[in-house]
Amino acid sequence: MAKKKAVGKTGKKTAKKIISPHGVSIVLAGEAGQGIQSIETLLVNVLKKDGFHVFATKEYMSRVRGGVNSTQLRVSQEPVRSYVDRMDIFIPLDGAAFERYKNKITKETAVIGDKTKLAYEKTINIPFNRIASEFGNALFSNTVAAGAVCGILGGSEEALYDYVKSVFARKGDEIVKSNIGAAKSGYEIGRGLKAEKIVDAGPGKKTSTKESLLLAGADAVAIGALAGGCDACFAYPMTPSTGVFTAMAGYASKAGIAVEQVEDEIGVINMALGAWYAGGRALVSTSGGGFALMTEGISLAGIIESPVVVHLAQRPGPATGLPTRTEQGDLNLALYAGHGVFPRIILAPGDTKQAFELSAGAFNLADKYQVPVFVMTDQYFVDTYYDTVDIDASKAEPVRHITETKEGYKRYALTKDGFSPRGIPSFGSGLVCADSDEHDESGRITEDLDGISKKMKDKRFKKFDAVKKAALPPVLTGPKNYTRLVVGWGSVYNTVIEALGLLGDRNTAFLFFPQVYPVPIAAKKYLEKAKTVIAVENNQTGQFADLLSADTGINISQRILKYNGMPFSVEELVRALVKKPGKAAGKRGKNG
Amino acid sequence: MDNIFDYKTDTAWCPGCGNFGLRKIVMSALAELEIKKESLVFVSGIGQAAKAPQYLDVNYFNGLHGRSLPPAAGIKAANPNLTVVVESGDGDMYGEGGNHFIHAIRRNPDITVIVHDNMVYGLTKGQASPTTRKGMKTPIQVNGVFEEPINPLALAISLDASFVARGSVGEMEKTKEIIKAAIKHRGFSLVDVFQACVTFNKLNTHKWFKENTYVIDESHNPRDRQAAFSKALESSPWPLGVFYINENKPVFEEELAPYASGDRKPLYMRARGEGLIKELLSAKK
Ligand SMILES: Cc1ncc(C[n+]2csc(CCOP(=O)(O)OP(=O)(O)O)c2C)c(N)n1
């Protein structure tokens, strides 16, 4: 293999020294179908088993072939959980991929790839395809690339080969052998680049991440729902909500879940309400347009006082919008969906631990308060994964709130607090009548306007009280004696935390809302304490800031908003927070 | 004799409405089948016909206009041991609910669907429905309906529905027997029932239905799909009876994971151990 000499040289020998408290950031980019997904999976698994903290997120075009998709990996000795702009290592698999991200290249970025394909003089040449062909198939180029990154980062060879073996085992010995060869070849080039300090990107020390879990937001929502006793899942495919649906279908046999792909989202929500009526605990998973179709069904849940859990994975609208991108733009839709007045609960996890616990809890809340409960995520959230040890299965268990009925049972019996014990058909001797028309206590249609009809409206209204009181409190991170308060919900959680760590400002704290509606009573107290409140939202107007202002009477005029379909990066958030008023005077803190 | 499913209350139907006749037919069918009240659920949409469960002493889910079939399937998914009967109007079922109608037939839950086919929108006061005959004038279709009406039976047979029949309020005995057979049938059963709307349909009256229908005789083989389809295309007079039966279709709820092993225990009686969640989580290591 004499040709190999040319490999791994830039021509000019410029050391790419990367110093970063937050490990190494690697961006892989290529056409849909080119296999960046398989490089990502391989690297993340190997490096995690090897003892590094890992993070991965992807952004992709709404097409099955072609275009340019990318994945960002972060590898570090500390937990890494958010998206960054920085590219320490950039691996474009073709010219188009290079073009799309070249404006993010800095002088620290090591661009690695096939020099003949990339119009970039400083490309560190590793002709993945050619090397792969030497092992019998250009398709193995992904394995070469993964091997090279592993070598650069100082990952263990053993972990790499073990993983390659496990992935290709079912394809036979020959394929396993060739892929191990390809991985080894890549690894050695990578190790050479590191040894010669051509690419010097150290993720730091290995720790113990062997026992930690590697799960995406979608997995956490799905497994959390199961932990909360979800036993049915109905949906109609729509990005980015489909991941949860797919996970549920995958678990259906093992966990005994009734899973059905329904003809449309109107059918989805109505099927879920039927299932709850008969004692099931159904989840629906949907995104903007699909949820819009469900709104009459949400209203039905309101009047029949049915529990239901909706996973709403957001993407940019209006209409079809940017199907595969991210935005926190559907809060107002979830808040106001459905005609008439009735309570609801909106939860928005910020990390996988919360996604697990809130999705489980959603079922108990829905069942207890007989209301629709939303778990709001977004494309960035469901597609992002990182290692974690926080998730505790014993933190979640299903609590059922159904009653055995007796003869003469009244589904909508008037009570002091507005909650009527919920019976289901054939559990007990009573009859259960659910009615979308205004009804009397037994569920029979009525037009007794000033009598029972109004009483039913008042009954449903009373429930707001208990639901508000039970709202999950917001979570404060940072100094307790803050004067500047950043508020956020959902997927901005980890990014804000990392940005504040870098900012190191002793005046600034972060108030995160795992429950956005009803706004927890404690919110006002926290907001009142701050001189400046800054909302950080991945949408165009600051929908949560509006809600919070209306609820607390405290105007939130400072807003950091992003709405181009991409998540916030840590760096841009740091820059934005520096510009906003209220930061402590003087130098950055020690973390900066 | 009192029927145990009878629920006496003020009804919202016009005197002479076909709904009264069908209500009687349904109640007798239920009583003769000796169905246990607690395990029977009626599902309906919105409309005059869809109020039918309100006047019965049964469990019911009276949902949204056009949306009776999805909850009916959801109920079977949560508890396959319940007997589920859907009752709604032609507008509700074939108009607003048309997409669900098509797909519920494909899904094939074990439910019985009784459609009060009065060929008009009653509750909203006389607009054309998907089964309104061509030429009928209404306050909206002022020059008469020009669209071809839906043929629900032909449509259902084309989708290979499990059980397809037509009754008529003018044929009480026959229709009762059809409904009994439909409820006993395992799978999706459609019973489209001709009935008059005395207020808004002056064309298709009790008398018209009597004069324009006939009962299918023994020579028809309901397992012959071609023959059933031909029967469904007949008009003036329209045939009444069981057109088509296909027992060999997979049933929705039986295909669902919780019941695939044959265990029909409803979902609410099942518990899932913490062990399973731990196992799913540790598979992510
Ligand atoms: C979403 C929605 N659209 C429209 C209506 C109004 N609406 C109620 S019943 C009905 C049609 C009733 O006709 P049909 O189903 O044939 O029943 P009938 O009253 O004739 O028995 C309509 C249009 C509604 N309730 N909901």
Side-chain angles (χ1 to χ4, degrees), chain A residues 163-470:
Chain A
Y163 193 78
V164 169
K165 211 160 151 186
S166 73
V167 169
F168 294 101
R170 61 190 170 84
K171 296 198 175 163
D173 287 350
E174 202 54 38
I175 301 280
V176 170
K177 231 178 95 196
S178 309
N179 272 285
I180 289 187
K184 205 176 172 84
S185 175
Y187 189 89
E188 276 161 11
I189 297 166
R191 186 161 56 189
L193 292 173
K194 183 181 169 73
E196 293 181 48
K197 295 210 188 293
I198 293 169
V199 187
D200 188 8
K205 289 197 291 285
K206 292 177 189 176
T207 57
S208 171
T209 49
K210 215 174 182 142
E211 287 303 301
S212 59
L213 308 178
L214 199 52
L215 78 177
D219 300 320
V221 170
I223 302 174
L226 293 177
C230 169
D231 50 25
C233 180
F234 307 128
Y236 185 86
M238 187 169 187
T239 305
S241 65
T242 313
V244 167
F245 189 30
T246 310
M248 292 308 247
Y251 295 138
S253 296
K254 193 164 223 164
I257 318 161
V259 173
E260 176 70 351
Q261 178 179 324
V262 187
E263 55 273 15
D264 55 35
E265 286 85 351
I266 299 175
V268 167
I269 188 73
N270 284 283
M271 193 177 283
L273 294 175
W276 276 97
Y277 165 80
R281 287 162 89 88
L283 170 73
V284 310
S285 187
T286 188
S287 297
F291 180 67
L293 287 177
M294 294 186 184
T295 52
E296 194 190 15
I298 296 297
S299 187
L300 176 60
I303 197 161
I304 65 174
E305 302 191 43
S306 175
V308 67
V309 179
V310 179
H311 169 235
L312 176 50
Q314 302 162 95
R315 70 190 219 188
T320 310
L322 292 163
T324 59
R325 306 295 164 168
T326 204
E327 191 168 296
Q328 294 183 295
D330 294 343
L331 178 58
N332 284 340
L333 178 65
L335 263 177
Y336 302 112
H339 49 298
V341 176
F342 56 93
R344 70 190 74 203
I345 294 171
I346 305 177
L347 309 172
D351 64 9
T352 48
K353 172 187 158 71
Q354 294 171 19
F356 175 81
E357 288 172 12
L358 294 178
S359 302
F363 285 83
N364 297 337
L365 287 171
D367 203 351
K368 181 169 181 188
Y369 296 111
Q370 303 177 28
V371 293
V373 178
F374 299 84
V375 177
M376 291 189 72
T377 64
D378 52 48
Q379 179 270 325
Y380 171 64
F381 188 87
V382 292
D383 285 338
T384 295
Y385 60 110
Y386 52 80
D387 62 287
T388 178
V389 288
D390 303 340
I391 297 174
D392 181 357
S394 63
K395 278 272 158 63
E397 65 175 316
V399 185
R400 288 189 194 276
H401 296 269
I402 48 179
T403 323
E404 187 169 353
T405 60
K406 298 205 176 62
E407 227 161 302
Y409 167 77
K410 290 182 170 156
R411 172 65 188 90
Y412 303 105
L414 295 173
T415 58
K416 232 171 101 194
D417 55 6
F419 296 97
S420 324
R422 188 168 73 91
I424 58 171
S426 90
F427 180 42
S429 50
L431 296 177
V432 183
C433 301
D435 194 357
S436 121
D437 289 285
E438 194 55 273
H439 41 254
D440 63 15
E441 289 182 87
S442 56
R444 304 271 161 182
I445 191 168
T446 182
E447 296 195 39
D448 176 12
L449 301 187
D450 292 316
I452 191 66
S453 166
K454 183 158 176 298
K455 282 193 180 129
M456 281 293 148
K457 283 186 167 287
D458 292 339
K459 161 196 184 347
R460 291 190 293 270
F461 195 74
K462 267 191 220 163
K463 289 166 53 173
F464 273 96
D465 240 17
V467 170
K468 173 111 183 162
K469 279 194 191 114

Side-chain angles (χ1 to χ4, degrees), chain A residues 296, chain B residues 19 46-50 65 89-93 96 116 118 120-124 129:
Chain A
E296 194 190 15
Chain B
N19 287 337
I46 295 296
Q48 283 295 76
H65 182 52
D90 45 291
D92 186 282
M93 189 61 61
E96 188 91 45
H116 296 227
N118 59 5
V120 76
Y121 281 12
L123 183 57
T124 48
S129 97

Side-chain angles (χ1 to χ4, degrees), chain B residues 47-60:
Chain B
Q48 283 295 76
K51 286 180 185 145
Q54 303 270 353
Y55 312 136
L56 297 174
D57 196 37
V58 290
N59 291 300
Y60 64 73

